[in-house]
Amino acid sequence: MVYESIPRTVRIILLGEPGVGKTSLILSLVTEEFAEHVPPKAEEITIPADVTPEQVPTNIVDVCLNEQTIEQVAEEIEKAHVICIVFSVDKQETLNKIASYWLPFVRDSCSDDYRKPVILVGNKIDLIDYSVIDNIWDIAEEYPEVDRCIECSAKTLTNVSEMFYNAQKAVLHPIHPIYCIEEQE
Ligand code: GTP
């Protein structure tokens, strides 16, 4: 896999099926609390360098299929450095769509010789009492651009900042092997 040279800003995009919690994750990160009601799509957010662990300004881009055309989403993927594909751990179909739809779509939206790192994000772990990490190994094997999988909860704030930090790291310190971050209380 060929990586681009290390950028001076990190642009993170969140993709995934409707209702998996993309907007909630962004707003939980920024406000450090969970809002029951969120807009369909968060405005683009810029986190200044001095409050990011890697000291790099970071833009976070939300996607909402009800408000954007698929062509607009593809353009946003092209502009991003790292792609977070979110699924809901309590809805198997949202995980199934990662391999059947989202990863091929990301590949189609990027140039052939450069694969952007992808983070798989299992949101809503507050709703289940088991891990779904074992279900992603086949996906990770088929798609080496998958950098890691993180389980988190926008509601309890579990692993939310870790998720964005790991997205930053995937750009700034690219690695090939797959790492999994289990829940951190
Ligand atoms: P679209 O805008 O349709 O693409 O959805 P989205 O992926 O941005 O999801 P959104 O943030 O709007 O959340 C969808 C629903 O899931 C809302 O009712 C949220 O309150 C809920 N939700 C989001 N994150 C969590 C979570 O971690 N745990 C629980 N229990 N609910 C969550």
Side-chain angles (χ1 to χ4, degrees):
M1 194 189 321
V2 178
Y3 284 92
E4 240 179 9
S5 57
I6 305 293
R8 285 172 193 206
T9 63
V10 173
R11 192 170 174 86
I12 302 173
I13 186 169
L14 275 73
L15 301 176
E17 293 300 291
V20 292
K22 300 178 292 295
T23 310
S24 302
L25 283 166
I26 296 170
L27 296 183
S28 288
L29 174 80
V30 174
T31 63
E32 295 185 351
E33 59 185 18
F34 178 67
E36 284 291 343
H37 301 288
V38 294
K41 183 174 180 297
E43 293 296 323
E44 183 175 325
I45 283 164
T46 303
I47 314 251
D50 57 350
V51 292
T52 69
E54 294 281 342
Q55 305 282 299
V56 175
T58 301
N59 298 315
I60 303 176
V61 177
D62 194 9
V63 156
C64 177
L65 287 179
N66 289 330
E67 303 222 327
Q68 288 167 287
T69 64
I70 206 66
E71 290 78 18
Q72 288 171 324
V73 175
E75 280 168 25
E76 288 293 355
I77 292 171
E78 239 182 310
K79 285 196 274 173
H81 298 112
V82 53
I83 291 105
C84 294
I85 309 182
V86 185
F87 63 99
S88 183
V89 292
D90 67 325
K91 289 212 164 60
Q92 178 69 34
E93 63 273 22
T94 65
L95 175 58
N96 296 344
K97 285 294 274 290
I98 288 181
S100 69
Y101 181 76
W102 288 107
L103 281 163
F105 180 63
V106 168
R107 277 193 180 181
D108 287 348
S109 307
C110 301
S111 78
D112 281 346
D113 55 353
Y114 164 50
R115 290 202 190 131
K116 299 182 182 188
V118 172
I119 309 274
L120 302 185
V121 181
N123 187 35
K124 308 196 189 183
I125 49 165
D126 57 287
L127 295 179
I128 60 170
D129 55 8
Y130 52 88
S131 169
V132 297
I133 288 278
D134 282 348
N135 299 335
I136 64 102
W137 294 119
D138 289 347
I139 302 176
E141 208 170 314
E142 193 181 346
Y143 291 90
E145 60 269 42
V146 173
D147 180 277
R148 64 189 74 204
C149 179
I150 298 178
E151 293 181 303
C152 63
S153 167
K155 187 165 188 169
T156 59
L157 305 183
T158 307
N159 273 348
V160 173
S161 53
E162 286 81 357
M163 174 212 138
F164 288 100
Y165 178 37
N166 277 287
Q168 269 194 333
K169 279 205 298 191
V171 178
L172 300 171
H173 310 289
I175 47 161
H176 294 289
I178 308 301
Y179 285 84
C180 276
I181 305 243
E182 302 280 352
E183 179 182 348
Q184 294 168 3
E185 293 297 342

